[in-house]
Amino acid sequence: MSRRSGVLEFAVLGLLRESPMHGYELRKRLNTSLGVFRAFSYGSLYPCLKALVQRGWLVEEPSEQPEEQQAARAQTAPLAGRRAKIVYRLTADGKEHFEELLSQTGPDTWEDEHFGVRFAFFGQTSRDVRMRVLEGRRSRLEERLAKMRASLARTRERLDDYTLELQRHGMESVEREVRWLSELIESERAGRPARDARPDRPAPGPSDNTDR
């Protein structure tokens, strides 16, 4: 399984743990609640749902909506077609599998593509797991920041003003996320709600910088 498909699987299971949904609702939640999926092709979702059904983690059930509601939804979302009539529900095995995924704290949980999704489900995650993921993410970004600074020191004289400014902007983005993570970690250690870390600012998204 690729890293990106694994992230999608995790997100789908997590959203369905909250409540059963049909495909169109899932598509909307993935896009609006978990912004990382804005770059995903919606063609990825239905093969993922099919695979999760085959593994016994989801079941398909007919929609209980009245026919007039289904017709109205079909008019506003014609791309959903017949799929909008199928509701996906998490099974007991699916819930157990999602809880296993929630307990994982390995390097994949620190990376850009996975961290934002893991963070979105921190409310369902135990405190010790949250701490390990946050500390792992901070360590990962501190390593990235050190490499960026070293690279900039080597190449500064060869860069034009605009490329240099872009490099500085990238470093500042990583520095902001490191500070945000440090504040979250301190809040977790003190037993305070996450919103107390930075009540005046939204949390930054995962850094777009790489180690290239």
Side-chain angles (χ1 to χ4, degrees):
M1 180 185 298
S2 70
R3 179 177 294 177
R4 298 202 83 191
S5 62
V7 175
L8 180 59
E9 173 188 299
F10 177 86
V12 167
L13 292 173
L15 290 174
L16 290 177
R17 188 188 189 191
E18 298 174 3
S19 65
M21 301 181 205
H22 56 61
Y24 177 72
E25 290 173 319
L26 274 170
R27 284 167 45 173
K28 185 176 180 181
R29 290 290 304 279
L30 287 167
N31 186 283
T32 58
S33 301
L34 306 175
V36 68
F37 291 104
R38 289 176 186 143
F40 265 68
S41 165
Y42 284 146
S44 305
L45 176 58
Y46 290 105
C48 175
L49 290 170
K50 182 178 179 180
L52 296 177
V53 170
Q54 290 173 341
R55 293 173 190 153
W57 296 334
L58 302 182
V59 292
E60 297 177 330
E61 299 176 345
S63 173
E64 297 180 356
Q65 291 181 335
E67 289 298 323
E68 58 271 17
Q69 291 185 20
Q70 293 182 11
R73 187 177 295 276
Q75 291 176 359
T76 58
L79 293 179
R82 294 177 59 190
R83 289 170 176 152
K85 299 179 182 179
I86 299 297
V87 171
Y88 295 90
R89 184 183 300 274
L90 197 65
T91 65
D93 286 344
K95 182 178 180 181
E96 181 178 352
H97 178 63
F98 180 69
E99 290 173 350
E100 291 174 0
L101 294 176
L102 274 181
S103 69
Q104 294 178 3
T105 60
D108 278 355
T109 67
W110 314 336
E111 300 300 333
D112 292 347
E113 288 181 344
H114 208 154
F115 174 74
V117 180
R118 282 302 303 264
F119 190 83
F121 291 100
F122 262 21
Q124 304 179 41
T125 306
S126 65
R127 179 178 175 275
D128 61 323
V129 170
R130 292 197 303 267
M131 284 291 292
R132 288 197 294 270
V133 173
L134 290 171
E135 289 172 343
R137 174 66 175 174
R138 182 175 64 177
S139 177
R140 180 72 181 86
L141 290 186
E142 287 173 341
E143 293 173 1
R144 180 180 299 175
L145 190 57
K147 291 178 181 179
M148 294 173 70
R149 287 169 174 161
S151 176
L152 183 60
R154 290 194 304 268
T155 61
R156 180 186 299 271
E157 298 303 323
R158 301 195 298 271
L159 300 178
D160 62 50
D161 290 345
Y162 295 101
T163 305
L164 183 60
E165 189 61 28
L166 183 63
Q167 294 290 323
R168 287 172 175 164
H169 174 69
M171 289 176 55
E172 289 171 358
S173 296
V174 178
E175 289 169 346
R176 282 197 301 272
E177 187 171 350
V178 169
R179 290 195 297 270
W180 172 68
L181 290 166
S182 295
E183 291 160 355
L184 285 172
I185 290 168
E186 288 306 311
S187 291
E188 289 285 345
R189 287 174 176 163
R192 299 194 303 268
R195 61 178 175 271
D196 290 348
R198 295 300 290 270
D200 57 335
R201 295 188 189 179
S207 171
D208 293 330
N209 300 287
T210 66
D211 297 328
R212 290 192 293 272

